[in-house]
Amino acid sequence: MAMSVEEVEAAIIEKAKKAPKPQLYIKDFYKCAPDMKPRQIKKIANKLVEKGELMFWSSGSTTMYARPDRIKDEEGAEGIN
Amino acid sequence: MAKHDTPMLDELEKGPWPSFVTDMKRQAETHPECWDILGQLELSYEDRITHWKHGGIVGVFGYGGGIVGRYSDVPDRFPGVEHFHTVRVNQPAGLYYSTENLRALMDLWDKYGSGMTNMHGSTGDMILLGTRTENLEPLFWDLTHDLGQDLGGSGSNLRTPSCCLGESRCEWACYDTQDICYALTMHYQDEIHRPAFPYKFKFKFSGCANDCVAAIARSDFAVIGTWKDDIQIDQAAVKEYVAGNYPANGGAHKDGDWGPFNLKKEVIDLCPTQCMWMEGDELKIDNSECNRCMHCINVMPRALRPGKEKGATICIGAKAPILDGAQFATMIIPFIEVSKDNEYENIIDVIERIWDWWMEVGKNRERVGETMQRVGLPTFLSVMEVEPIPQHVKEPRSNPYVFWKEEEVPGGFERDIVEFRKRHAA
Ligand code: HEM
Ligand code: HEM
Ligand code: SF4
Ligand code: SF4
C-alpha cells in the first residue's frame, strides 16, 4: 500500500534521528518509502529542510541531509569529505 | 592583516607570463585579507598540505547550493581567511555582459567580498572567491534584488547549465544553444538551487562538433550540434582556396610560415574518416562515412558549411577524476531534433529518463558516467530504449559468449518437453 506524504516525512525524520552518522545521503532515505520514486523522496526531504526538520550539510562536493540538533559546530567540517 | 614573507610564491612572479601572485598582491592593497591568502598558500607549500577545510553548512536561506564553504585550518595565523567562501553566480547564456552589469557586480563583490574572481569556473558560473558567512545574505539580497541575477548550482544539485555563444555570433551553430540553455535553467530551478541527486549533474550545449564549451569532456549530458544531410559545398569557393585567394582557417594561422595552401595535405588527408577526394577540380565527400567532425569546414569556411537538416547528438557521462579516472562522454543518441517549438520536450524526456534510472541505480557519489560503466553500455542503451547501432561499438568483441534475451529468440525459451523427448529420449 502506498504511503502518505506524512508517513514518509515521519520515516525520514526517524531515520535521520537514529542513523549512526548524523549526515545522510539522499539515497539513505529511499528505503523509507520503497514504492516512491527517488525524485519524489528528494522533494519531500527538501520540504523538510524548509520546515527546519532537516538541514543541508555539504561535504564540499556532495550535499547531505542532517537533523540540525545532531550537527554541533557551525563549520562541521570534520568527518566525511 | 599584514604582509607575510612569501619567498616561494615570489618565484611565481618571475617570467614573462601573468602571475596570480602579482594579481593578489595588487588586490591586497585594497583588500588586506588577500595578504592572508598568500601567507596561507606559502605555508601550504612549506608543509606540503592544504590548509583549507572543505564542507560544512554555509548558504543562503531557501537554497541548498550556490555557495561553496571554505575555512582556514590556521585562522589564528591568517584571520583574513578564517572564512573564505566561494559564491557562484549564474552566468548569462553565451557569457554576454554589459559593462554596466560587470561594474555593478564588481562593486557588489568589493563591498561584500575579497574582490577576487574567477571568470569563469569550469562549471560556467562567474566565481566570486572569498567572503565571510555573515556577508552571504546581504550579498544575495543585493544580487537578486538590485541586479536581477541568481546563484548557480553546487553540491549534489543540477549544476548551472552552460552553452557556447551559438547563433548569436557563429554561423556553424546547428541549434540555438543559448535558448535551450536558458529554457532548461528556468525549467529546472528547483534542481539547480536544492540538492536533487546522489551527486552532481551537468548539462552543456555546444552548437557544433568544435564544442567550444568542451561539453564532451565536462558534462554528464552533452548536447552537441550536428546535421543529417550532406555538407554544403560551394565548388567555386573550393577553387578560390586552392588558388590561394581565400585564406585557409579564416586566416587564423596566417602569421606562421606554412607555405601555400595544400588541400590534400590540410583537408583530405586529415579527414578522420577518409571520406573526401578530388575529382578533377571538384571536391567530393562521401557523406554516409563523414562523422561531422567539422575539420574540413573549419579549414575552408567559405566553401563548406554544415548541412541543412540540423539537430544534435547527445553524449552522456563525461567527468573529471573523482572516484575513477577522467572520461569523455559516450555517444548515445546520434541525432535528436532541438526545437523551441516543443519547448524541448523531447530533450527533457531523455534527461528525466536518465535521472530516474541513475537516482535508483547509481551509488552515492557516483557520476552517471561511472554508473554506465558499471552496468555496461548494452544495459544502459536498453534503459534509454535506444537501439544499438555500429557507432555505439568501440571495438570488435573479445568475449566469445553471446547472451540472448528471451524476446530476442524466435519462439522464446519455453519448449514442449514431451515433443522434445520424442526426438531425444532421456
Ligand atoms: C588540494 C586542494 C584542492 C583540490 C584537490 C581541489 C579540487 C577541485 C576539483 C577536482 C574541482 C572540480 C573541477 C571541475 O571539474 O570543474 C574543484 C573545483 C573548485 N574548487 Fe577546488 N580544490 C582544492 C582547493 C580549493 C580551494 C583552496 C578553493 C578555494 C579557496 C577551491 C575552490 C574551488 C572552486 C570555487 C571550484 C569550482 C570552480 C568551478 O565552478 O568550476 N578549491 N576543486
Ligand atoms: C547448453 C549447452 C552447453 C553449455 C551452456 C556449455 C557450457 C560450457 C562451458 C561454460 C564450458 C567451459 C568453457 C571454458 O573452458 O571456459 C564448456 C566446456 C566444454 N563443453 Fe560444454 N556446454 C554445453 C554443451 C556441450 C555439449 C553438447 C558438449 C559435447 C557434446 C559439450 C562439451 C564440452 C567440452 C568437451 C568442454 C571442455 C572444453 C575444454 O575445456 O577444452 N558442451 N561447456
Ligand atoms: S561550438 Fe560550434 S557553434 Fe558553438 S561557438 Fe563553437 S564553433 Fe560555433
Ligand atoms: S566533417 Fe570531418 S569527417 Fe566529415 S568530411 Fe569533413 S573532415 Fe571528413
Side-chain angles (χ1 to χ4, degrees), chain B residues 22 31 96 108 110 159 177 189 196 246 273 298 312 342 405 410:
Chain B
T22 309
H31 290 78
Y96 287 98
L108 192 71
D110 263 334
R159 300 304 183 82
T177 54
Q189 280 290 296
Y246 290 166
T273 60
N298 290 334
N342 66 0
K405 288 191 198 132

Side-chain angles (χ1 to χ4, degrees), chain A residues 25-27 30 37-39 42 46 55-63 65 74-75 77 81, chain B residues 53-57 64 71 133 155-156 191 194-196 199 352 355-356 359-360 362 364-365:
Chain A
Y25 288 104
I26 185 65
K27 282 188 78 92
Y30 291 178
K37 284 213 165 210
R39 291 186 68 201
K42 175 263 296 186
N46 285 351
M55 62 183 279
F56 294 132
W57 188 93
S58 165
S59 73
S61 63
T62 314
T63 314
Y65 297 81
E74 200 240 352
E75 293 161 30
N81 201 354
Chain B
K53 288 194 287 186
H54 283 211
I57 40 175
Y71 300 88
T133 304
S156 304
E191 281 76 8
R194 281 160 284 276
Y199 202 26
E352 298 194 354
W355 285 352
D356 284 344
M359 288 190 72
E360 190 96 43
N364 290 327
R365 308 198 59 206

Side-chain angles (χ1 to χ4, degrees), chain B residues 383-426:
Chain B
V383 168
M384 297 301 293
E385 291 179 13
V386 171
E387 279 290 312
I389 54 169
Q391 285 80 358
H392 286 131
V393 177
K394 191 171 157 200
E395 56 190 320
R397 58 189 297 137
S398 50
N399 176 339
Y401 296 103
V402 177
F403 294 99
W404 300 93
K405 288 191 198 132
E406 182 160 12
E407 61 270 23
E408 293 167 334
V409 179
F413 290 165
E414 293 301 324
R415 219 165 338 174
D416 183 348
I417 188 73
V418 179
E419 205 40 46
F420 181 77
R421 286 289 169 230
K422 273 187 203 160
R423 288 181 286 119
H424 300 270

Side-chain angles (χ1 to χ4, degrees), chain B residues 37 40 49-54 68 70 84-88 118 120-125 127-130 153 159 200 202 218 319-322 367:
Chain B
I37 309 176
Q40 178 171 304
I49 191 165
T50 182
H51 285 288
W52 293 108
K53 288 194 287 186
H54 283 211
V68 182
R70 290 286 183 274
F84 209 70
H85 310 318
T86 297
V87 179
R88 288 190 176 154
N118 168 6
H120 298 77
S122 342
T123 304
D125 310 87
I127 307 288
L128 308 180
L129 283 161
R159 300 304 183 82
K200 68 178 94 163
K202 300 181 180 179
R218 304 193 300 174
K319 57 174 218 65
I322 305 282
R367 293 282 284 273

Side-chain angles (χ1 to χ4, degrees), chain A:
Chain A
M1 216 206 57
M3 293 168 82
S4 71
V5 172
E6 290 72 30
E7 284 169 321
V8 178
E9 285 185 343
I12 288 176
I13 291 170
E14 196 58 20
K15 172 112 194 177
K17 279 183 182 164
K18 299 233 168 99
K21 275 193 178 170
Q23 301 95 341
L24 287 107
Y25 288 104
I26 185 65
K27 282 188 78 92
D28 298 334
F29 295 135
Y30 291 178
K31 283 191 217 79
C32 298
D35 301 329
M36 217 174 240
K37 284 213 165 210
R39 291 186 68 201
Q40 208 56 44
I41 296 170
K42 175 263 296 186
K43 286 207 177 95
I44 296 176
N46 285 351
K47 263 276 172 310
L48 286 173
V49 173
E50 226 170 87
K51 292 180 186 169
E53 295 284 352
L54 294 178
M55 62 183 279
F56 294 132
W57 188 93
S58 165
S59 73
S61 63
T62 314
T63 314
M64 307 179 80
Y65 297 81
R67 286 284 292 173
D69 54 14
R70 292 189 67 186
I71 298 284
K72 270 154 241 79
D73 61 327
E74 200 240 352
E75 293 161 30
E78 258 51 72
I80 309 146
N81 201 354

Side-chain angles (χ1 to χ4, degrees), chain B residues 19-283:
Chain B
S19 164
F20 74 94
V21 176
T22 309
D23 286 352
M24 280 195 197
K25 285 181 178 171
R26 192 163 56 214
Q27 188 65 15
E29 283 160 20
T30 51
H31 290 78
E33 65 264 37
C34 294
W35 292 127
D36 283 353
I37 309 176
L38 291 166
Q40 178 171 304
L41 188 57
E42 183 80 15
L43 182 66
S44 288
Y45 282 11
E46 279 165 28
D47 297 350
R48 295 174 177 239
I49 191 165
T50 182
H51 285 288
W52 293 108
K53 288 194 287 186
H54 283 211
I57 40 175
V58 287
V60 294
F61 186 70
Y63 276 29
I67 314 278
V68 182
R70 290 286 183 274
Y71 300 88
S72 168
D73 70 3
V74 276
D76 300 343
R77 289 176 65 181
F78 305 108
V81 292
E82 180 186 17
H83 296 197
F84 209 70
H85 310 318
T86 297
V87 179
R88 288 190 176 154
V89 178
N90 194 330
Q91 78 287 4
L95 308 179
Y96 287 98
Y97 299 91
S98 65
T99 47
E100 187 192 2
N101 174 232
L102 278 178
R103 286 202 179 90
L105 276 165
M106 293 310 114
D107 287 347
L108 192 71
W109 191 231
D110 263 334
K111 181 169 166 196
Y112 293 116
S114 74
M116 288 214 304
T117 65
N118 168 6
M119 302 277 276
H120 298 77
S122 342
T123 304
D125 310 87
M126 180 166 8
I127 307 288
L128 308 180
L129 283 161
T131 190
R132 296 186 59 83
T133 304
E134 59 271 21
N135 289 336
L136 293 172
E137 289 293 351
L139 167 75
F140 180 62
W141 177 274
D142 290 4
L143 180 74
T144 46
H145 292 74
D146 299 347
L147 302 186
Q149 282 170 277
D150 201 353
L151 298 180
S154 68
S156 304
N157 303 21
L158 175 63
R159 300 304 183 82
T160 317
S162 73
C163 62
C164 76
L165 49 74
E167 289 180 355
S168 69
R169 277 163 57 89
C170 183
E171 59 190 60
W172 291 331
C174 293
Y175 66 92
D176 189 341
T177 54
Q178 291 174 281
D179 192 77
I180 187 175
C181 186
Y182 181 74
L184 293 190
T185 301
M186 298 314 279
H187 185 77
Y188 288 123
Q189 280 290 296
D190 188 41
E191 281 76 8
I192 291 173
H193 295 311
R194 281 160 284 276
F197 311 112
Y199 202 26
K200 68 178 94 163
F201 196 94
K202 300 181 180 179
F203 299 154
K204 291 194 196 293
F205 306 94
S206 279
C208 77
N210 284 332
D211 196 5
C212 291
V213 283
I216 199 166
R218 304 193 300 174
S219 59
D220 302 272
F221 189 82
V223 181
I224 300 176
T226 193
W227 61 92
K228 250 187 178 172
D229 51 343
D230 295 352
I231 291 183
Q232 304 181 56
I233 309 184
D234 176 347
Q235 297 290 355
V238 172
K239 292 192 185 79
E240 297 291 343
Y241 277 104
V242 172
N245 296 333
Y246 290 166
N249 294 292
H253 307 302
K254 68 175 185 298
D255 294 337
D257 183 17
W258 301 94
F261 176 65
N262 182 332
L263 184 87
K264 180 166 168 5
K265 198 171 122 210
E266 291 172 48
V267 180
I268 294 178
D269 289 355
L270 295 180
C271 167
T273 60
Q274 296 289 295
C275 69
M276 313 180 84
W277 70 97
M278 291 300 283
E279 257 177 54
D281 53 5
E282 297 232 314
L283 178 65

